[in-house]
Amino acid sequence: MAVGLDESVGVIVKALHDNNMLDNSIIVFSTDNGGPASGFDLNYANNFPLRGVKDTLWEGGVRGVGFIWSRLLKNMHRVSNQMMHITDWLPTLYEAAGGDVKKLIKPDGVSLWSALSEDAPSPRTEMLHNIDDVRHIAALRSGDWKLRLGHTYGGNWDSWYAPPQVDDDSAAPLHLFRSPLSKILAQPTPPPNWSDVVISCGPKPANASSNCQPTRTACLFNIRDDPCEFNNVAASHPDKVQELMGRLAAYNATQVKPANKPIDPKSNPKYYGYVWTWWKTLDEDGKESYIQEGFNSIPASSKNMNKFQKPKTSDL
C-alpha cells in the first residue's frame, strides 16, 4: 500500500509539472490522528515515542504528523512546531489561494498560512481535543499545557509502544533524494541533522505509567517540555488545572445533542453489491425514501430483511 501511495503521489506531481501547474500548487500530506499501534485493531502503526494510540487522548492519539510542499512558501526546509488544528486547513488553504478569510462565514479554524509560509507565530493558542460525556473523557490544550480526564478502553492503551524495527541511528536512504521525482522538485537537500525531525523525551521515569490517574482526578502536562507525557504536574500547578477545568466547562456548555441515528439494516453493503454507498434519497420536500424498491414497505428493524433479495452488481 505504501509503495502504491508513493507511486500515485509521483504521478500526480509529474502531471502538475507537465501541465505547468506545479509552481502554483500546494501539496499537503497529513495524518488525521495518531495511528493504531502495537496491534490495536490488528494494525501496527508507529506513534513512538509519544504515548497512546488512535482513539486515546494521549499525544500518540491526537497529534498529527505531515508535511507541506510548495514553491509559494517563503521560508522552506524547516520543521514547523506551531500549534495547528485540522479545522485550520480550510482557512489556511483559502488564504493561500488568494481568498479573504474575513469573508468565510463562522469558520471553525483560523488561517495559519503566515505561520507555515513565513514561520510566523501561530494564531492558534488553544484546542479542544475532545469532550465525550458518554465515555467520560475530555482533553484540552492551551498554550504549552494539556489537561486530560478519563481514559478509553479501560486504560489498556495508555502506554508507549515502540515498533520492533526502531533504530535510533536510522535515516532515510539517500537514494530517495536522487529519485526521478526529486529532479522535478529541484532535488531537495536531505536535512543536515535528522534529530530536527525526531521527538526526544529522554529517559522515562519509573512512575510515568502511574503518576496520572485520569479517572480519579485531572492530569496536567507541559507538552512543550514533556511531549511524551511522562510527568503529571497537576499537583504543583493547581491554579492552571482550575483554569483549564473552567475552559472545559465553557466548551461543554456550548455542546448540542448528538445527531446520531440508529443503525439501519437496510444500509448493509450486502444489498448493494458489497459496496459502501448511499441507501436513501431526499425529495424536494425533504422526505426520505430508500433507493431500493421494496425497502420502503419494510420496517427498518424488520427481521424480514434477511429474506430480501439483494440486487446483483450488474443492477446497481
Side-chain angles (χ1 to χ4, degrees), residues 80-85 88 91-92 95 101 108-117 119-127 143:
S80 171
N81 290 302
Q82 288 99 325
M83 184 187 295
M84 184 177 190
H85 189 266
D88 298 331
T92 296
E95 180 181 353
V101 178
D108 292 318
V110 294
S111 174
L112 268 78
W113 181 242
S114 294
L116 295 177
S117 176
D119 201 16
S122 170
R124 175 172 291 282
T125 58
E126 183 174 279
M127 67 172 72

Side-chain angles (χ1 to χ4, degrees), residues 141-285:
R141 173 79 182 271
S142 181
D144 296 332
W145 299 100
K146 178 180 175 182
L147 183 82
R148 66 178 315 274
L149 299 96
H151 55 208
T152 55
Y153 307 102
N156 291 325
W157 292 98
D158 287 359
S159 191
W160 298 260
Y161 306 97
Q165 71 273 21
V166 161
D167 182 354
D168 292 338
D169 296 325
S170 63
L174 291 179
H175 71 79
L176 295 180
F177 298 93
R178 303 189 185 103
S179 66
L181 184 59
S182 71
K183 296 179 180 178
I184 295 177
L185 302 180
Q187 295 182 338
T189 303
N193 187 351
W194 282 102
S195 63
D196 292 342
V197 297
V198 175
I199 295 175
S200 179
C201 300
K204 184 173 69 173
N207 69 339
S209 299
S210 60
N211 62 41
C212 171
Q213 300 292 330
T215 59
R216 299 178 182 176
T217 185
C219 299
L220 182 70
F221 299 92
N222 186 309
I223 298 301
R224 183 190 62 182
D225 299 335
D226 181 25
C228 292
E229 295 166 299
F230 286 155
N231 304 290
N232 173 23
V233 295
S236 57
H237 295 81
D239 292 343
K240 180 57 66 174
V241 172
Q242 184 177 4
E243 174 191 335
L244 297 187
M245 289 292 290
R247 292 294 299 144
L248 268 180
Y251 276 115
N252 212 12
T254 67
Q255 70 169 300
V256 296
K257 185 178 180 179
N260 303 50
K261 293 186 177 182
I263 294 175
D264 187 347
K266 299 176 184 178
S267 66
N268 194 316
K270 71 179 182 180
Y271 299 118
Y272 309 95
Y274 294 93
V275 174
W276 287 105
T277 183
W278 60 89
W279 69 100
K280 279 186 176 182
T281 60
L282 291 175
D283 61 20
E284 294 181 354
D285 297 325

Side-chain angles (χ1 to χ4, degrees), residues 94 98-107:
Y94 184 74
D100 184 354
V101 178
K102 295 179 181 179
K103 294 183 179 180
L104 294 175
I105 301 175
K106 296 182 179 180

Side-chain angles (χ1 to χ4, degrees), residues 11-30:
V11 169
I12 294 173
V13 173
K14 186 177 186 303
L16 292 171
H17 175 265
D18 293 346
N19 289 276
N20 298 316
M21 300 170 65
L22 189 58
D23 287 349
N24 198 36
S25 296
I26 300 172
I27 299 174
V28 176
F29 191 91
S30 175

